Amino acid sequence: MAEKNSSIRRPVVVIAGRPNVGKSTLFNRLVGRRQAIVSDEPGVTRDRKEGEALVRGRHIRLIDTAGLEEAAPETLFGRMRSSSEQGVAQADLVVFCIDARAGITPIDAHFASWLRKQNRPVLLVANKAEGKAGTEAALEAYSLGLGTPLALSAEHGEGLADLMSEIVARLPKEEDKEESEQESPLRLAIVGRPNAGKSTLLNSLLGEERMITGPEAGLTRDAVSAFIRDDEGLIEIVDTAGMRKRSRVDKGLERMSVSASIEALKMAEIVILVLDATRGVDEQDLQIARLIEREGRGCVLALNKWDAVENHQKVRTAITDRIESSLAQMRGISVVPFSALTGAGLHRLLPAVRKVSQIWNARVGTSDLNRWFEEALERHQPPLVDGRRLKLRYITQVKSRPPTFIIFGTRVEKLPDSYKRYLINGIRETFHLPGTPIRLQLRGTRNPFANQDQK
């Protein structure tokens, strides 16, 4: 099983506070990009969201948390609060946000009292303190007993310079020999329909209740990343919101969630497509798979809830046949059946991811490639086009991630799609590149004497 991200040696800064005080807006400001979804609707953030930020020359790990609310542990808000409390427990510094315009609420006072007992350094921030009136309103926060409040406006960028200075001043002393270059992780995204078990899968891999889970569909609203380590190195895993059919996505917030999921998929190297094995493959699963192929990402097909399947062989065959018959580029796709809830079969998932990554990064030697190319042309000659046979001269691999090849020849741009599929399938089978997208580009060769004046 993978280890948690204990190897990341950057100080942890956690942003906490009740819902709708501007925590995600502040998070986006500090990481320098719109990474967390922001909306006027309270409670948008449900899971802890991580980002890397450079603050006054210090690299920090910044965590945005769900709003702190009093609620029964078994409810959604109770589970959100528990997740936020876990984030605070690992913090080197807690940035506690209040809304200066709303003043001190009983919830603010309750959680300020709770924070004082957590033995964590706390920086009190009065957000939404635009202008002189806002600064004066922020002074009310002295009553929380967390020291001098820092007035700012995350939305307008006011007071951020002072905030950055305060954060650095309160962090643990920097190590003398901190690594200037961090290990580059494998970027992995978990995608699928709502309620397929994506967040439960991430929790199982991390060994902690990092993501909010439950019977309610669509609990994950934002793309949330975490780091783990396996035998081969560091992996950044991004859990995404479930992607429903476009016709069913009607709310602005859900549209933002789906957009964040698609962006996470595009930024990933390898994608785990999670299917509910008890439901099989539907058209939305195929649409997501097509998006993965179109973006040229390596893919592992994860069949969750495998413990609830009665006829394993029949279900596995039906799912893989449907995927491969609909998507030729997915032929030979890596399939891992497991149960995210019980952990059964989960130990096979990350090794499968590493294998797919190896294939996705594969390079084929030019000499081996052209020996195969000559044999392929002999077995099945290029077709006649306009009564003339196309001349394919040689092939070379120009890049990996995914494997991409260029064929040079005369009038090669007229090569039919059927013959291109024949060559792609030959490359896949001969050089053992199952389940990964293969790109085949065509480039004509010019005859230097074709237009030269005859003398």
Side-chain angles (χ1 to χ4, degrees), residues 117-408:
K117 303 172 185 177
Q118 302 310 305
N119 195 29
R120 289 288 182 272
V122 178
L123 172 59
L124 178 59
V125 167
N127 192 24
K128 306 182 184 181
E130 296 87 354
K132 183 178 179 181
T135 302
E136 293 176 352
L139 297 179
E140 184 184 353
Y142 271 108
S143 63
L144 295 176
L146 294 174
T148 303
L150 182 65
L152 59 84
S153 171
E155 183 177 359
H156 297 94
E158 297 176 10
L160 286 177
D162 291 339
L163 173 64
M164 292 179 181
S165 298
E166 283 293 328
I167 288 175
V168 172
R170 296 169 187 240
L171 289 178
K173 186 178 179 181
E174 193 169 10
E175 296 180 12
D176 293 336
K177 294 184 178 180
E178 185 173 4
E179 295 179 6
S180 58
E181 296 184 3
Q182 295 291 324
E183 178 183 355
S184 179
L186 170 67
R187 295 192 297 274
L188 177 65
I190 302 174
V191 303
R193 288 178 295 168
N195 226 26
K198 300 181 297 297
S199 295
T200 305
L201 170 58
L202 180 57
N203 286 343
S204 296
L205 290 172
L206 292 174
E208 63 173 283
E209 292 299 312
R210 170 64 185 277
M211 303 296 294
I212 305 297
T213 60
E216 306 94 335
L219 285 179
T220 301
R221 286 177 165 175
D222 207 348
V224 179
S225 66
F227 291 87
I228 62 175
R229 181 177 292 277
D230 65 1
D231 293 337
E232 297 188 39
L234 199 61
I235 302 175
E236 181 183 9
I237 305 183
V238 181
D239 181 29
T240 64
M243 290 188 275
R244 297 198 297 166
K245 292 181 180 179
R246 184 176 298 179
S247 61
R248 297 181 182 177
V249 179
D250 51 3
K251 294 183 179 180
L253 180 56
E254 187 175 359
R255 285 197 296 270
M256 287 190 287
S257 295
V258 173
S259 296
S261 299
I262 294 173
E263 187 63 26
L265 185 153
K266 291 179 178 180
M267 295 297 292
E269 298 169 282
I270 309 300
V271 177
I272 297 176
L273 174 55
V274 181
L275 303 184
D276 181 341
T278 64
R279 296 178 58 182
V281 180
D282 71 2
E283 184 57 32
Q284 180 61 9
D285 294 315
L286 292 177
Q287 290 293 343
I288 298 171
R290 290 187 185 105
L291 177 60
I292 295 170
E293 188 279 326
R294 191 162 61 245
E295 293 297 328
R297 301 298 177 247
C299 183
V300 174
L301 193 60
L303 308 185
N304 191 22
K305 306 180 185 179
W306 197 243
D307 52 331
V309 172
E310 293 183 2
N311 191 328
H312 288 170
Q313 187 60 45
K314 180 180 178 181
V315 170
R316 179 167 180 160
T317 300
I319 290 175
T320 53
D321 285 353
R322 179 86 189 277
I323 292 287
E324 292 185 359
S325 63
S326 302
L327 294 160
Q329 291 278 16
M330 295 290 189
R331 186 170 299 167
I333 188 171
S334 180
V335 179
V336 180
F338 67 96
S339 169
L341 191 61
T342 67
L346 195 60
H347 63 283
R348 292 190 289 265
L349 184 60
L350 291 184
V353 166
R354 288 294 186 181
K355 179 63 177 178
V356 170
S357 176
Q358 182 181 1
I359 295 171
W360 191 68
N361 283 278
R363 283 214 170 252
V364 180
T366 301
S367 58
D368 293 336
L369 192 58
N370 278 281
R371 275 195 296 270
W372 162 82
F373 190 52
E374 291 175 4
E375 295 172 358
L377 297 182
E378 289 177 4
R379 283 193 302 270
H380 186 185
Q381 288 191 349
L384 294 172
V385 177
D386 298 330
R388 300 167 59 189
R389 191 169 300 282
L390 304 180
K391 292 183 179 180
L392 308 184
R393 301 187 183 280
Y394 65 95
I395 184 173
T396 185
Q397 183 176 358
V398 292
K399 64 182 287 292
S400 57
R401 306 162 65 88
T404 302
F405 304 86
I406 291 183
I407 293 178
F408 294 86

Side-chain angles (χ1 to χ4, degrees), residues 79-90:
R79 302 197 299 272
M80 289 165 60
R81 175 187 170 180
S82 177
S83 175
S84 298
E85 290 176 351
Q86 291 175 26
V88 169
Q90 61 177 303

